Amino acid sequence: MSRPVVTRIAPSPTGSMHIGTARTALFNHLYARRHGGKFLIRVEDTDRERSTQENVDILFQGFAWLGLASDEEPVYQAQRADRHREVVDELVQRGAAFRCWMTPEETEAAREVARAEGRALRSTWRDRTDGDPSQPHVIRFRTPDDQPVVVVDAVQGEVSFPSKDLDDLVLLRSSGEPTYNLAVVVDDHDMGISHVIRGDDHLNNTPRQALIYDAMDWERPVFAHVPLIHGPDGKKLSKRHGATSVAEYADQGYLPEAMRNYLARLGWSHGDDELFSDAQAESWFDLEHIGRAPARLDFDKLNHVNGWWIRQADDERLAALVQQVRAGRGDVVADADLPRLIRAIPMVKDRADTLIALADQLAFALLNRPLAIAEKPAAQLTDEARARLARLADRLAGLETWDAAFLDDSLKGFAEAEEVGMGKIGPPLRAALTGGVASPDIAKTLAALGKAESLGRMADVLSPQA
Ligand code: GLU
């Protein structure tokens, strides 16, 4: 019988959520969903200085934005120190750990000897019994002298670490504080974690953790160490490559579902599928298809995926998101302008890869009247063109139907009646309607603006008051 699947993400609150953490969280979440298991969040908040409430909040904002929630109350590692100490006691009782009173100087000297002998540190207290427990001391793990520690990793395969390269690891500091590797093992065990899917920067911790599991007679989880994300140039991801935190991607106008889709493909594959839903990812995700080579961030691909998800998104939701983008620029969309914004979205959403681009494409719908008309379009508004615009305005005012197809026909009919080509009508009309700001096809622009706004903008250029 295999154990129930329980996965986790175990971030430390550092003040931002790294995109690699987001991907690891997603992989764990997908794996749990695939197997009808649980996905848990553990906050590794033992660094008291960095683990401020603000930094913890930033983590949870990141998870909330990504749409990933813990299936149980999140666990806070710092609150579990007593339990960690209890396990250290047990390890001492089992003979798997021992008290060590080496001074810093003695430790350094022992390290020198170890180095000279080509092995890791062994404490001189491994087999001594004459220490005084009332004196400051640490508790170390009794690392086997020289035997292979074999870790079977679902991504990396079988990895063997010679135990002679592993220190007699400190489990409990003289302050009574548990150390990282100990805390991770105890927490993962107590949380029932069956699969530890994490970045391969933790691979070197794994033999140490495996030894602790073994010493406690606890079943080891399945480990899966995923290569870290690299930048487009194949080097380790860093600030110079662009956004590294989840919040930056949100600010740059990526949709969470697009981010999930893109991140799922970053280091994992399902054939050639690039665009897929959460439900598909949840039914497909496996550890077998996690690549062994680091995945590279590819912003063109991300934009492509995001553009696709923008096209799938509901127009009212996009309108709300565009309002947020504009609010971020200090520009509040008036309630009265909202229907115009929503009408315009389907006309431009196929051209926008990000919400920022979408907001820019929609700017034409939200201009303040009278419009500021740029020089080039203003040059279109000759006397002849204005006279024609006035006749067009009369004709449009009489229309009962106001949709793009009908307006397109009306404009063509008007051009015929005027015995001119559309080239004489479109540019001045566009100048009046947008002032030179990017906008869709002219009939769509009219339709998006609506009758009153369109005629109002035309009237503004026909009888300039200012
Ligand atoms: N807290 C560790 C980190 O943020 C993760 C530990 C783990 O996944 O085992 O890198």
Side-chain angles (χ1 to χ4, degrees):
M1 263 286 292
S2 56
R3 58 208 284 208
V5 170
V6 183
T7 64
R8 49 61 160 188
I9 181 74
S12 303
T14 58
S16 72
M17 183 187 282
H18 193 267
I19 193 72
T21 303
R23 183 189 62 164
T24 302
L26 178 70
F27 279 17
N28 278 284
H29 185 263
L30 290 175
Y31 193 79
R33 288 292 171 273
R34 166 85 193 265
H35 295 280
K38 282 184 189 169
F39 164 76
L40 307 181
I41 296 177
R42 177 172 75 238
V43 181
E44 302 214 317
D45 55 349
T46 50
D47 178 341
R48 297 318 293 161
E49 231 160 82
R50 300 185 88 179
S51 303
T52 57
Q53 188 57 49
E54 191 190 348
N55 287 351
V56 172
D57 290 346
I58 287 171
L59 278 181
F60 281 100
Q61 281 154 16
F63 287 128
W65 184 78
L66 283 164
L68 302 178
S70 184
D71 291 326
E72 284 174 10
E73 271 304 300
V75 170
Y76 289 83
Q77 189 160 65
Q79 292 173 5
R80 295 181 33 85
D82 285 343
R83 168 65 180 151
H84 300 148
R85 282 188 280 270
E86 194 179 291
V87 171
V88 173
D89 276 349
E90 163 125 29
L91 285 165
V92 173
Q93 275 161 33
R94 288 172 170 238
F98 59 92
R99 296 174 199 279
C100 168
W101 284 265
M102 284 199 292
T103 62
E105 296 73 32
E106 287 166 348
T107 309
E108 199 33 52
R111 242 183 236 295
E112 282 300 316
V113 176
R115 226 173 274 143
E117 294 180 4
R119 56 168 176 79
L121 175 77
R122 292 287 173 269
S123 163
T124 52
W125 286 89
R126 284 167 74 101
D127 301 307
R128 282 173 68 174
T129 49
D130 54 335
D132 176 357
S134 71
Q135 292 304 304
H137 61 281
V138 301
I139 295 182
R140 290 183 186 270
F141 188 78
R142 188 187 303 277
T143 303
D145 277 332
D146 193 7
Q147 71 181 51
V149 183
V150 177
V151 174
V152 183
D153 189 281
V155 177
Q156 313 284 335
E158 195 175 287
V159 193
S160 180
F161 303 81
S163 68
K164 75 173 176 44
D165 293 344
L166 305 171
D167 276 5
D168 279 350
L169 184 74
V170 173
L171 302 175
L172 204 66
R173 299 194 179 89
S174 56
S175 61
E177 258 179 295
T179 57
Y180 169 73
N181 281 297
L182 184 268
V184 167
V185 171
V186 176
D187 292 348
D188 282 341
H189 171 264
D190 289 0
M191 291 164 74
I193 302 301
S194 63
H195 292 73
V196 168
I197 305 167
R198 61 186 172 194
D200 69 2
D201 50 336
H202 286 288
L203 185 60
N204 283 332
N205 286 324
T206 310
R208 303 173 205 284
Q209 298 179 3
L211 287 172
I212 299 173
Y213 279 100
D214 296 353
M216 287 299 290
D217 290 317
W218 287 343
E219 186 181 353
R220 295 185 196 176
V222 172
F223 291 102
H225 286 92
V226 184
L228 299 185
I229 299 170
H230 282 190
D233 58 2
K235 304 216 170 94
K236 195 171 177 279
L237 187 62
S238 74
K239 277 277 161 207
R240 81 195 137 79
H241 291 118
T244 55
S245 80
V246 170
E248 287 169 286
Y249 285 89
D251 288 347
Q252 290 180 10
Y254 294 99
L255 290 173
E257 63 267 41
M259 220 53 211
R260 288 195 297 272
N261 184 165
Y262 179 73
L263 287 176
R265 273 293 281 112
L266 204 55
W268 171 79
S269 59
H270 182 264
D272 292 331
D273 292 310
E274 296 287 352
L275 300 165
F276 44 78
S277 66
D278 291 329
Q280 286 172 312
E282 287 171 15
S283 68
W284 293 339
F285 188 80
D286 59 3
L287 303 179
E288 289 73 30
H289 292 90
I290 294 178
R292 281 208 206 184
R296 295 185 186 196
L297 261 190
D298 178 336
F299 289 100
D300 289 339
K301 217 178 237 180
L302 171 59
N303 285 346
H304 173 72
V305 172
N306 201 51
W308 190 79
W309 279 104
I310 285 178
R311 291 192 286 286
Q312 316 306 310
D314 176 73
D315 294 338
E316 303 211 350
R317 173 177 166 224
L318 289 175
L321 292 168
V322 165
Q323 280 179 284
Q324 279 175 25
V325 171
R326 291 184 63 105
R329 297 171 178 170
D331 208 339
V332 176
V333 177
D335 284 350
D337 294 345
L338 199 53
R340 208 180 318 130
L341 181 63
I342 296 172
R343 269 202 308 274
I345 285 178
M347 296 166 188
V348 302
K349 74 200 258 195
D350 57 343
R351 308 195 215 168
D353 280 349
T354 67
L355 295 173
I356 306 290
L358 186 65
D360 291 343
Q361 299 273 0
L362 290 165
F364 81 94
L366 300 169
L367 300 169
N368 290 325
R369 285 180 51 197
L371 274 46
I373 300 187
E375 202 177 317
K376 235 172 147 185
Q380 296 288 339
L381 296 169
T382 59
D383 288 347
E384 185 195 341
R386 279 170 201 274
R388 192 171 291 119
L389 266 187
R391 293 193 292 278
L392 176 60
D394 278 347
R395 192 179 175 117
L396 294 179
L399 296 184
E400 307 252 323
T401 307
W402 199 268
D403 64 41
F406 192 79
L407 285 160
D408 193 49
D409 282 346
S410 302
L411 289 176
K412 284 182 183 139
F414 177 70
E416 254 169 54
E418 293 275 315
E419 299 184 329
V420 294
M422 275 303 284
K424 290 268 183 224
I425 295 172
L429 178 57
R430 194 182 286 279
L433 293 177
T434 71
V437 168
S439 68
D441 164 90
I442 195 72
K444 287 184 177 171
T445 300
L446 283 165
L449 291 176
K451 188 171 179 180
E453 180 75 12
S454 297
L455 293 176
R457 290 185 185 189
M458 290 169 81
D460 289 343
V461 301
L462 292 174
S463 54
Q465 241 63 59

